[in-house]
Amino acid sequence: MTDKKVKVIADGPYQVTGGVALDLLRYITNHKGYSVDYDRMKKYPERETYFLCRCGDSKNKPYCDGAHKQVGFVGTETASHAAYDDMAKCIEGKLMDLMDAEELCSVARFCDTKSGTWNLIETAENLDAKDIITHQCKFCPSGRLTAVTKQGERLEPYLPQEISMLEDPLIHKVAPIWVKGGIQIEDANGKPYPVRNRVTLCCCGKSQNKPFCDATHVDE
């Protein structure tokens, strides 16, 4: 554990402390619009403490400019504090298994390539398919999907403790906020959420699973 932390401010922004690096990543998509990788577009200046917009109305994104007060933003958190294992269901496959916590989905579309992760789990019979499934799961920013070997090993990616704003070229929007590497997230009442390697936070203000992204931004 480190002193890096994201604190949800009641009806306000996210307070980030501990000198967490911040950058902007864009999904790299194929001809079908499915995501295959990330491209770093910008690195923001290093700051020990900063505040990220949560209401979606800041004119100084990704930073908060106080717009939440002007628009009357209500940021009441509705997400549970359940651990990933309690949210995820396990899908058994031929060569490997899949843990799937659907409520965490931020629709990054890495799972849509090569006929889709779920289809591959059910039909995969060669090492190439295992590699594709592993890639799809590891690149899933929200951590909804986790590839699991038949020996029970969870194939989590190594992610440094940093935060990325995610830009989706398909919808021409920057959303959500990708928190990586096991940074502690604390709710507005001071209660910590279970630490996870990959988490996506809402920054459009419309999620029904605050503070986490529920992909509402995709349909706006």
Side-chain angles (χ1 to χ4, degrees):
M1 297 294 294
T2 71
D3 58 354
K4 291 179 170 57
K5 184 172 73 173
V6 177
K7 165 72 174 177
V8 180
I9 305 299
D11 298 330
Y14 301 108
Q15 180 186 40
V16 182
T17 55
V20 182
L22 177 67
D23 64 10
L24 171 66
L25 301 182
R26 177 183 292 168
Y27 299 141
I28 298 175
T29 59
N30 62 18
H31 67 284
K32 292 184 177 180
Y34 302 155
S35 302
V36 295
D37 208 337
Y38 296 97
D39 185 21
R40 178 188 269 189
M41 307 302 295
K42 180 178 182 179
K43 183 176 181 180
Y44 294 94
E46 295 183 7
R47 299 182 182 183
E48 182 63 25
T49 300
Y50 52 90
F51 295 84
L52 295 177
C53 175
R54 186 160 72 101
C55 70
D57 287 295
S58 172
K59 297 296 189 292
N60 189 37
K61 294 185 181 75
Y63 303 112
C64 171
D65 68 354
H68 57 278
K69 298 178 181 178
Q70 305 302 319
V71 301
F73 172 63
V74 177
T76 305
E77 294 163 80
T78 53
S80 76
H81 286 70
Y84 177 77
D85 286 14
D86 295 328
M87 291 187 283
K89 63 180 180 180
C90 185
I91 302 171
E92 293 189 12
K94 291 185 176 182
L95 296 181
M96 64 194 315
D97 300 329
L98 179 70
M99 294 185 73
D100 181 1
E102 185 175 1
E103 65 189 87
L104 301 178
C105 187
S106 61
V107 186
R109 301 186 305 279
F110 287 96
C111 58
D112 292 326
T113 61
K114 306 294 184 179
S115 80
T117 305
W118 297 268
N119 179 61
L120 287 171
I121 280 289
E122 295 177 354
T123 63
E125 296 182 342
N126 57 63
L127 294 179
D128 287 343
K130 287 181 66 175
D131 289 342
I132 292 169
I133 293 168
T134 301
H135 178 276
Q136 291 171 328
C137 291
K138 285 186 174 182
F139 276 63
C140 169
S142 69
R144 168 185 174 173
L145 301 179
T146 303
V148 185
T149 69
K150 284 300 184 181
Q151 291 72 43
E153 179 187 1
R154 300 186 186 188
L155 303 179
E156 276 289 325
Y158 166 75
L159 295 171
Q161 289 193 312
E162 60 185 19
I163 294 175
S164 294
M165 307 302 299
L166 296 180
E167 181 177 287
D168 189 338
L170 199 66
I171 59 174
H172 308 291
K173 293 180 181 178
V174 175
I177 301 171
W178 189 16
V179 181
K180 295 172 277 185
I183 296 175
Q184 179 69 70
I185 299 171
E186 184 180 282
D187 72 16
N189 295 314
K191 182 178 179 180
Y193 290 97
V195 174
R196 292 193 286 120
N197 186 35
R198 300 170 280 152
V199 179
T200 47
L201 296 176
C202 172
C203 63
C204 72
K206 306 292 176 48
S207 173
Q208 298 302 304
N209 192 39
K210 291 182 181 70
F212 304 109
C213 174
D214 68 353
T216 296
H217 63 276
V218 175
D219 297 322
E220 285 190 304

